[in-house]
Amino acid sequence: MQIVVEHSEALQGEVQVPGAKNSVLKLMAVTLLAEGEYRLTNVPDIADVDTMCDLLRALGVTSQRVNTHELVLVNTGNITPVAPFEQVDRIRASINILGPLLGRYGSADIAMPGGDDFGSRPIDLHVMGLEAMGATFALNREGVQATARQLHGAHIELKFPSVGATENILTAAVLARGVTSIDNAAREPEIVDLCNMLVDMGAQISGIGTDHLVITGVQPEQLHATDHEVVNDRVQAATYMSAVAVTRGNVFVRGARAEHMEMLINRFSEMGVMITPQHDGLQVSCNQRLHAIDFATLPYPGIATDYKPLLVGMLAVSSGTGIATENLYPGRFRYVDELMKLGADVRIDGHHAVVRGVEQLVGAPVNAPDIRAGAALVVAGLVATGKTTVSDIHHIDRGYDDLVGKLAGIGARISRQ
Ligand code: EPU
């Protein structure tokens, strides 16, 4: 199966932003913390959710999609805290079971997590935080074995605001004895979503949305299952916004939340994209060739590394030269070779990409190297002459809910074949 994109006219109409992959997978993991039935709504229809369902099933949490965007998970209390390689290898977010398993069951045996391959993705910050709370780790090439008779609160300062480490320390601290504080915590909207669900379950967390989280441990019987609506996906929203920008279209991106994307909206505006926030989404339009800008990826509220392939694709067709600096994953420029097959003029220098805008991209066969880069190649294909065929689309399917259908719905010439 491939995605075939043909040169498309200005996109028009309305597109709905689905729930966030990087929230729902973490929300699913915290069902390990308390018995009962959980109902998640606004669940994206993506392959990673199915993988997480398989992983949770192997541990003892059952799940059922009651409709395309609603998932019911049941924790009967019969949990085996051992996660086999076949399930763990497929997604990075499988590491998110570590905190809940340690906090609730005092042990976790997890094969090494997989996910996108853009260089080394260590878990030293997860380990450092959980060790400070009393956990003991045995790590080897095969995986992680962690044990803790009873976790206790600790003051933890992260040297980098890692999303995954913040989440694992947070979810472990919910049932730890005493108070845990996390300084320099990550504060992405998806972490706020996770905190909100945990609070609904009975957890005591303050500082939500800031870089200083304080968690006061509660007893297991004080936690209970809950229902929760997944926050909308700012990266999928950005994907549709960039598609509108390059095709010089005019689309209402329903469910895009300006308060989650302020920096990105500013960068888009500097490039010449008009964005008008409305109460339930963003009106996005562009009637000119984009202008090049320089940008650097940073932890939230900075420009997310997940937006970068989209911005580099936009620079590829802008007037002028822009420099993209990657500060999170040095290896996350591999997709540039694919973009160059479409005629983009990009030079990589360390963790910088120098992008000289060209008048016209040219359709060609390309491979999706990871989720976000795959989507960016699809967007670039909308403004390449002729036909662009994107292969390895299982990467895109991991994180995008009906990318092809949604783009077709606003006028793109695109199909799966
Ligand atoms: N890092 C460490 N030690 C650690 C943890 C992280 O050095 O213990 C480093 C990483 O190597 C990396 C940086 O810190 O250089 C950022 O890692 P972080 O832990 O913040 O990222 P993550 O939790 O592994 C999540 C998303 C990624 C997204 C990053 C950054 C999920 C499942 N994944 O990964 O999303 O790029 O945050 O925002 O939430 C994607 O959705 O396509 C994706 C890759």
Side-chain angles (χ1 to χ4, degrees), residues 21-23 25-26 92-93 96 116 118 120-127 159-165 167 186 188 234-235 304-306 327-330 332 370-372:
K21 167 180 86 77
N22 288 347
S23 188
L25 300 174
K26 327 305 176 59
R92 173 75 181 174
N96 276 75
D116 290 313
F118 25 72
S120 152
R121 297 180 76 178
I123 58 162
D124 55 310
L125 299 174
H126 306 230
V127 172
K159 67 175 188 222
F160 179 87
S162 155
V163 170
E167 291 165 341
E188 273 71 1
R234 60 203 163 97
V235 190
T305 176
D306 293 342
N327 289 317
L328 276 85
Y329 296 108
R332 208 170 181 179
D370 63 62
I371 305 173
R372 312 301 175 189

Side-chain angles (χ1 to χ4, degrees), residues 298-309:
L298 282 171
Y300 191 84
I303 298 288
T305 176
D306 293 342
Y307 296 142
K308 189 191 55 189

Side-chain angles (χ1 to χ4, degrees), residues 12 25 91 99 108 112 195 211 229 235 275 292 299 326 330 337 386 392:
Q12 305 282 346
L25 300 174
I91 50 170
M112 256 312 169
C195 287
D211 62 0
E229 181 179 343
V235 190
I275 299 177
E326 171 61 62
D337 291 341
D392 287 344

Side-chain angles (χ1 to χ4, degrees), residues 23 48 68 83 135 143 179 197 241 245 288 298 329 355 373 378 388:
S23 188
D48 274 12
T68 318
V179 177
M197 174 157 161
M241 290 161 66
Q288 57 180 318
L298 282 171
Y329 296 108
V355 191
V378 168
T388 298

